[in-house]
Amino acid sequence: MQMLFRQIPSLDRLLKQPQAVEFIEKFGYSAVVKTLRLLLEQARVSIQQTQTLPSFFADETTLFTQLEHQLTQSQKVELRTVFNMTGTVLHTNLGRGLWSEKAVESATNAMRNNVALEFDIDAGKRSHRDLYISQLLQQLTGAEAACIVNNNAAAVLLMLATFAKDKEVIVSRGELVEIGGAFRIPDIMAQAGCKLVEVGTTNRTHLKDYRNVINENTAFLMKVHTSNYQIQGFTSSVSEEELVALGQEFHLPVISDLGSGSLTDMKLLNLPAEPMVQQKVAAGVDLVSFSCDKLLGGPQAGIIVGKKAFIDQLQSHPLKRVLRCDKVILSALEATLRHYLFPEHLCQDLPTLHLLTQSLENLQEKAECLKNTLSKRLDSRYILQIEVSQAQIGSGALPTERLPSLALTITSEKQSDLLALEKQFKSLPCPIIGRFSEQKFWLDLRSVAQFDQLIEMLSLNP
């Protein structure tokens, strides 16, 4: 064992070798020293546990090859790009929606340069970072003002903390939703320091249920859009218009959490209907919150639009500074919203809407191209077929609705072969993520972006 320990070179000697000097210039002295120390320690542990040296200590050339490999790996970003072929267009686990080219360009510009984030160039003095987006949203929604935070859950928290601390908030029992990660509306209320007052039953809530519990400690009436589930059958709910009338009677504001939120009429795009922000503003709702990275098609952020007096209070609350967005997100969001000034081009400009509105003819062409490419790659164990599929929007939007789609399905006599193929797909330079169903591996064409790059990768990586 002592003979083995003597074969371990010293750190100082290794650092003097030409390859080490080269790596120091490329990766830096600290990284090279740290990695070499780790390799030397691995050698000592290996001798103690197995009475052998690791294979990379066969000679110094092999050792420096291992050193370069580990230094190179340490520079790789672990958040990898993938091809989403699950059939869920807005897949939360795969990063939800993609940004438009203008949003990417605007964000990149903000990364590389100083921007007038909180500076009025004409007046030569400080301004508010939400100013440009607030002006845009006034134009797009008819609201008096807007406030931008880092996601819709933050938007709800800010509204509750600002107006309902130590007070009561009335919500229908059927609207106490849980979003991803076991994050629940009642939990947000608890964090904001307000008391939840549930009214009605799971499936039926009436206006009188709200009226009967209003008291001097009521902060506001709240409406929550159940975007991630749906109750059907014997149901009844109270509209925003009815709540606004009741709120005006008792001088109480009404807020609405739209969740996904939409700034365009989905029915005009031949998609399932979704409540529009403009409709809630027109109904007189005082504050409306919604996400930016779902149906809106932008970066992760949360928007609150509504009456200026209420928005001003949100902007001055200490939590706003905690929850505010940086220049990159605000730049991408502004670019995304500007697409809505030209509604006829939305499906061309916004990747999310483009994927959702693709024709079956287009999907058929892609499916045939993918089948042809994979048939050259896979052996006779695998059977490829183009089949009708049911895609979904995802991220809690319209959970019961399905979009007609096409998928390439792969079957094999042995399930182990399919599992091996899935592993092979995940090991590609850009992993392919599909889904298993009916003992088949499904590659849905509606959810995949960058299709040409997918085919190129499959052609170049046998």
Side-chain angles (χ1 to χ4, degrees):
M1 187 180 295
Q2 290 301 319
M3 290 293 293
L4 289 175
F5 277 117
R6 292 192 188 100
Q7 293 179 40
I8 300 176
S10 70
L11 178 63
D12 288 340
R13 187 167 74 80
L14 290 173
L15 290 174
K16 293 175 182 176
Q17 302 305 309
Q19 285 176 291
V21 174
E22 178 186 334
F23 292 158
I24 289 171
E25 290 180 0
K26 182 177 180 180
F27 298 102
Y29 179 81
S30 299
V32 171
V33 170
K34 180 180 179 180
T35 307
L36 274 176
R37 282 176 173 160
L38 288 174
L39 293 175
L40 295 173
E41 180 59 27
Q42 286 179 36
R44 296 185 189 98
V45 171
S46 179
I47 292 172
Q48 291 171 348
Q49 295 180 348
T50 67
Q51 287 76 54
T52 61
L53 279 167
S55 59
F56 54 80
F57 270 87
D59 52 58
E60 286 194 359
T61 299
T62 308
L63 175 58
F64 279 111
T65 299
Q66 178 69 13
L67 173 62
E68 183 179 24
H69 172 72
Q70 292 199 200
L71 288 168
T72 302
Q73 285 296 113
S74 68
Q75 289 189 327
K76 286 187 176 180
V77 176
E78 290 295 331
L79 198 61
R80 298 177 64 188
T81 301
V82 301
F83 288 110
N84 175 14
M85 304 198 75
T86 63
T88 300
V89 176
L90 294 173
H91 200 302
T92 298
N93 303 139
L94 301 181
R96 291 186 179 167
L98 308 178
W99 297 7
S100 73
E101 287 303 314
K102 286 188 176 179
V104 171
E105 180 183 344
S106 182
T108 304
N109 178 65
M111 291 179 199
R112 292 197 173 113
N113 302 286
N114 289 116
V115 295
L117 179 64
E118 295 182 358
F119 184 74
D120 186 325
I121 295 175
D122 294 331
K125 62 181 181 180
R126 182 170 184 166
S127 66
H128 198 284
R129 66 174 56 202
D130 293 353
L131 177 63
Y132 301 119
I133 294 178
S134 183
Q135 292 172 343
L136 256 179
L137 286 165
Q138 289 173 47
Q139 185 176 352
L140 292 170
T141 69
E144 294 177 6
C147 174
I148 317 300
V149 290
N150 56 22
N151 59 35
N152 187 56
V156 175
L157 175 64
L158 180 60
M159 291 188 293
L160 292 169
T162 302
F163 300 110
K165 183 174 174 57
D166 299 325
K167 293 187 176 182
E168 297 178 356
V169 177
I170 305 174
V171 186
S172 168
R173 184 169 281 108
E175 297 174 6
L176 296 176
V177 301
E178 176 181 306
I179 60 178
F183 199 60
R184 301 173 175 178
I185 286 290
D187 296 336
I188 301 177
M189 290 191 174
Q191 289 297 317
C194 57
K195 179 183 178 181
L196 166 66
V197 178
E198 303 175 32
V199 295
T201 61
T202 302
N203 61 319
R204 291 179 68 81
T205 302
H206 306 283
L207 189 63
K208 65 181 180 181
D209 295 322
Y210 291 89
R211 180 185 294 274
N212 290 341
V213 296
I214 292 175
N215 59 49
E216 66 281 354
N217 202 39
T218 301
F220 50 70
L221 310 177
M222 186 173 183
K223 183 81 174 171
V224 181
H225 176 48
T226 54
S227 60
N228 60 355
Y229 78 98
Q230 193 173 84
I231 300 175
Q232 297 177 325
F234 186 57
T235 64
S236 177
S237 61
V238 179
S239 68
E240 275 86 350
E241 289 85 351
E242 294 174 291
L243 278 185
V244 167
L246 182 64
Q248 291 174 346
E249 180 181 342
F250 287 89
H251 304 289
L252 291 172
V254 175
I255 71 171
S256 177
D257 170 16
L258 273 188
S260 296
S262 175
L263 292 179
T264 191
D265 189 342
M266 292 293 167
K267 291 185 293 184
L268 297 179
L269 305 179
N270 296 315
L271 294 171
E274 178 78 358
M276 293 175 63
V277 177
Q278 297 93 316
Q279 295 170 339
K280 307 309 174 186
V281 173
V285 176
D286 296 285
L287 292 172
V288 182
S289 73
F290 54 99
S291 293
C292 303
D293 59 340
K294 296 182 181 179
L295 292 176
L296 187 71
Q300 178 178 300
I303 293 176
I304 308 169
V305 296
K307 306 289 175 58
K308 187 177 185 303
F310 293 120
I311 294 292
D312 287 345
Q313 292 182 65
L314 294 174
Q315 296 286 20
S316 62
H317 193 281
L319 262 182
K320 173 60 200 302
R321 185 174 182 85
V322 176
L323 303 174
R324 70 184 184 181
C325 296
D326 71 355
K327 65 175 183 175
V328 176
I329 295 298
L330 290 174
S331 296
L333 179 55
E334 182 185 348
T336 302
L337 290 172
R338 290 196 179 279
H339 287 302
Y340 284 86
L341 298 174
F342 308 93
E344 291 81 8
H345 297 163
L346 284 174
C347 292
Q348 300 168 231
D349 297 334
L350 292 177
T352 294
L353 294 183
H354 173 72
L355 292 174
L356 291 174
T357 59
Q358 291 178 99
S359 68
L360 289 176
E361 291 77 12
N362 187 28
L363 296 180
Q364 179 72 32
E365 291 178 7
K366 291 181 176 180
E368 291 173 358
C369 179
L370 180 62
K371 181 180 180 182
N372 181 56
T373 303
L374 282 179
S375 64
K376 299 174 184 176
R377 181 188 181 99
L378 303 181
D379 59 41
S380 59
R381 291 176 296 167
Y382 300 103
I383 300 172
L384 308 180
Q385 288 184 303
I386 297 174
E387 298 192 44
V388 172
S389 177
Q390 296 294 310
Q392 59 183 346
I393 294 176
S395 291
L398 300 162
T400 63
E401 302 288 348
R402 293 294 180 267
L403 304 177
S405 185
L406 292 173
L408 183 68
T409 64
I410 307 175
T411 55
S412 179
E413 290 184 2
K414 297 180 180 179
Q415 186 71 7
S416 59
D417 289 339
L418 286 182
L419 293 173
L421 180 61
E422 181 197 27
K423 185 176 181 180
Q424 178 186 336
F425 282 161
K426 288 181 176 179
S427 67
L428 289 166
C430 183
I432 298 173
I433 311 298
R435 74 175 190 271
F436 280 100
S437 179
E438 302 172 6
Q439 296 184 319
K440 302 175 184 178
F441 189 60
W442 295 68
L443 300 175
D444 198 298
L445 279 302
R446 184 169 293 282
S447 57
V448 62
Q450 314 297 346
F451 181 76
D452 292 342
Q453 286 89 327
L454 168 67
I455 297 301
E456 180 181 4
M457 178 188 72
L458 290 172
S459 301
L460 294 176
N461 291 271

